[in-house]
């Protein structure tokens, strides 16, 4: 237990349960090494597969609550607000899988995405050029989930991420 960091021993005082450690900094080191295209590639493998779990496990009320996240996305006026609203929507979708490990993984993906974004000089295009398309794509994903069509939702998630991936690669 000492080797695992679960307890600490102090000569003359005894053994004590340790405080839970904060999340490790592996994401910081991974984010410092990864490129944006690598992060999007990982998301392409991860996120479409979540649609089946979400459709199976989310209640109708859970799925309806995604509309609030879309509203915040629509109302975003700056790139940073827009990005954070997208992260919140995507995280809400992951959370509807009711799998805490998947939530953890996705939170690490978002943390790495933020770290990668900080190394970039700025957005490649004005928000106005992508705002409506991104909202339409995300609204379609939410609609497919609300209709409990996991195959369509997975296809829409994949198409959205692939469009972003291709737009960044310049192809």
């Amino acid at each position: 237990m000492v080797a695992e960091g679960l307890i600490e021993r102090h000569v003359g005082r005894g053994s004590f349960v340790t405080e839970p450690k904060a999340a490790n900094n592996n994401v910081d080191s991974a984010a410092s090494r990864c490129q944006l295209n690598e992060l999007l590639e990982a998301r392409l493998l991860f996120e479409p597969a979540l649609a089946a779990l979400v459709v199976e496990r989310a209640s109708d009320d859970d799925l309806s609550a995604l509309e609030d996240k879309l509203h915040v996305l629509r109302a975003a006026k700056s790139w940073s607000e827009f990005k954070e609203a997208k992260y919140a929507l995507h995280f809400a979708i992951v959370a509807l899988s009711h799998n805490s490990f998947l939530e953890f993984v996705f939170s690490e993906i978002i943390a790495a995405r933020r770290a990668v974004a900080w190394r970039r000089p700025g957005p490649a295009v004005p928000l106005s050029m992508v705002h409506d398309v991104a909202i339409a794509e995300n609204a379609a994903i939410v609609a497919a989930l609300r209709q409990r069509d996991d195959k369509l939702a997975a296809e829409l998630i994949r198409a959205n991420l692939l469009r972003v991936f291709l737009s960044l690669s310049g192809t």
Side-chain angles (χ1 to χ4, degrees):
M1 291 174 78
V2 171
E4 293 178 23
L6 300 174
I7 63 169
E8 293 178 349
R9 289 183 160 169
H10 299 277
V11 176
R13 291 186 7 201
S15 298
F16 302 92
V17 175
T18 60
E19 288 292 319
K21 302 283 188 245
N24 67 35
N25 291 329
N26 288 345
V27 74
D28 293 334
S29 63
S32 69
R33 293 189 316 266
C34 75
Q35 300 296 314
L36 183 55
N37 63 326
E38 294 172 320
L39 208 47
L40 286 166
E41 185 176 61
R43 287 182 68 189
L44 271 164
L45 295 171
F46 178 77
E47 290 181 59
L50 290 171
L53 279 179
V54 170
V55 165
E56 178 182 315
R57 296 178 177 174
S59 70
D60 289 340
D61 288 342
D62 289 338
L63 294 169
S64 292
L66 294 176
E67 295 296 331
D68 293 337
K69 301 295 184 189
L70 280 173
H71 177 72
V72 174
L73 183 63
R74 285 185 187 102
K77 300 293 184 216
S78 68
W79 262 112
S80 61
E81 285 177 20
F82 188 72
K83 287 291 192 188
E84 290 303 318
K86 278 190 5 176
Y87 298 156
L89 171 62
H90 293 212
F91 186 82
I93 291 170
V94 174
L96 294 182
S97 71
H98 298 289
N99 181 310
S100 59
F101 183 74
L102 294 176
E103 288 180 49
F104 167 76
V105 169
F106 194 71
S107 68
E108 296 296 296
I109 288 172
I110 294 304
R113 176 64 180 92
R114 286 181 180 120
V116 169
W118 292 330
R119 294 194 321 257
R120 295 181 65 208
V125 297
L127 177 58
S128 61
M129 292 179 68
V130 298
H131 188 268
D132 293 343
V133 171
I135 289 171
E137 288 176 349
N138 283 281
I141 292 166
V142 168
L145 291 170
R146 291 188 71 188
Q147 294 165 9
R148 300 196 176 274
D149 189 339
D150 61 315
K151 291 185 181 20
L152 177 59
E155 180 182 315
L156 292 168
I157 292 166
R158 186 175 294 107
N160 172 260
L161 291 169
L162 190 56
R163 180 192 54 77
V164 173
F165 183 81
L166 291 174
S167 72
L168 294 171
S169 67
T171 58

